[in-house]
Amino acid sequence: MPSFTKSAIKVSFIKLLNKKPLNKITVKEIVEDCGINRNSFYYHFNDVPSLIEEIFIEEAEKLVQNRSDDGSLYESLIAAIDFALKNRTAVLHIYNSANREIFERYLNRVSYSAVSGFINTVETAADINEDDREAIVMYYKCQLVGFVIDWLGSGMKYDLCIKLKRICELFDGSMETAIERCSKK
């Protein structure tokens, strides 16, 4: 039964967060929404930030576990930002709160996973040393994080999927070129 209660708390919190800013959500509202008492909330979570942290850790784990190594870079990037796309208002509320760093840690982790998963699909990547591989992954991870931060900073006013698709088209082959340069050393 505890896992059901924990899931109910998370669902209620995301539902409330999609309706109003984080600083306007109380533990009392969360427990009333899911029909439990305050003690049940505190049995599972220390506070609202620990609840947010767990939600993002779980989302990151889902991406890592479900990552496919046979997709395109675009598909990998979209998978990395899937939670933000599905929960735009909630993510924007977290981004604009004092708990922004929780989302940024999540974003860095899933972006790293998406890019490193994609680089594994590039045949010639197996021939490069670990330091060069890490440098390439870090470069593309930082690019993705920057795109998402820019999107969030704009209030999510443009379609990030369209922008990422065009960026992938424009820079198609750039990762392979970097990998080729590494293997020529």
Side-chain angles (χ1 to χ4, degrees):
M1 196 62 93
S3 64
F4 173 79
T5 302
K6 203 171 191 180
S7 291
I9 292 168
K10 292 173 190 173
V11 168
S12 290
F13 175 68
I14 294 293
K15 182 172 91 175
L16 291 167
L17 195 56
N18 273 305
K19 293 179 183 176
K20 57 184 170 176
L22 180 60
N23 65 351
K24 302 290 184 198
I25 298 172
T26 64
V27 171
K28 181 180 180 205
E29 285 178 293
I30 297 168
V31 299
E32 285 176 358
D33 186 76
C34 63
I36 62 168
N37 63 44
R38 289 176 70 83
N39 289 339
S40 294
F41 177 91
Y42 289 112
Y43 174 78
H44 296 287
F45 302 101
N46 293 329
D47 51 20
V48 173
S50 68
L51 168 60
I52 296 168
E53 183 92 36
E54 184 165 316
I55 289 169
F56 282 127
I57 287 170
E58 282 180 3
E59 288 300 317
E61 284 302 313
K62 283 182 202 173
L63 175 76
V64 170
Q65 290 172 0
N66 297 330
R67 186 184 72 226
S68 168
D69 287 342
D70 58 356
S72 69
L73 180 57
Y74 173 73
E75 290 166 350
S76 296
L77 300 180
I78 295 303
I81 59 167
D82 185 57
F83 182 80
L85 292 169
K86 289 179 179 171
N87 296 283
R88 289 174 175 252
T89 303
V91 167
L92 202 52
H93 284 153
I94 292 171
Y95 178 76
N96 290 317
S97 76
N99 294 292
R100 175 187 291 186
E101 76 282 349
I102 295 171
F103 178 73
E104 289 176 354
R105 280 195 304 271
Y106 159 79
L107 182 58
N108 273 289
R109 180 156 187 236
V110 297
S111 297
Y112 181 90
S113 177
V115 173
S116 100
F118 178 74
I119 200 172
N120 291 338
T121 67
V122 179
E123 275 184 40
T124 55
D127 298 335
I128 64 173
N129 71 48
E130 193 56 35
D131 288 339
D132 286 344
R133 182 188 186 288
E134 189 65 25
I136 293 169
V137 170
M138 196 61 107
Y139 174 79
Y140 283 95
K141 177 208 66 123
C142 289
Q143 293 296 319
L144 177 57
V145 169
F147 296 141
V148 175
I149 297 293
D150 182 72
W151 177 59
L152 291 166
S154 78
M156 301 174 156
K157 291 193 187 332
Y158 57 86
D159 189 329
L160 183 60
C161 293
I162 291 172
K163 294 281 188 199
L164 284 176
K165 186 169 179 58
R166 185 64 180 142
I167 288 166
C168 287
E169 291 168 353
L170 292 171
F171 293 94
D172 184 35
S174 63
M175 184 183 292
E176 290 82 355
T177 300
I179 291 168
E180 186 179 308
R181 287 182 183 147
C182 295
S183 55
K184 285 183 180 177
K185 281 184 171 180

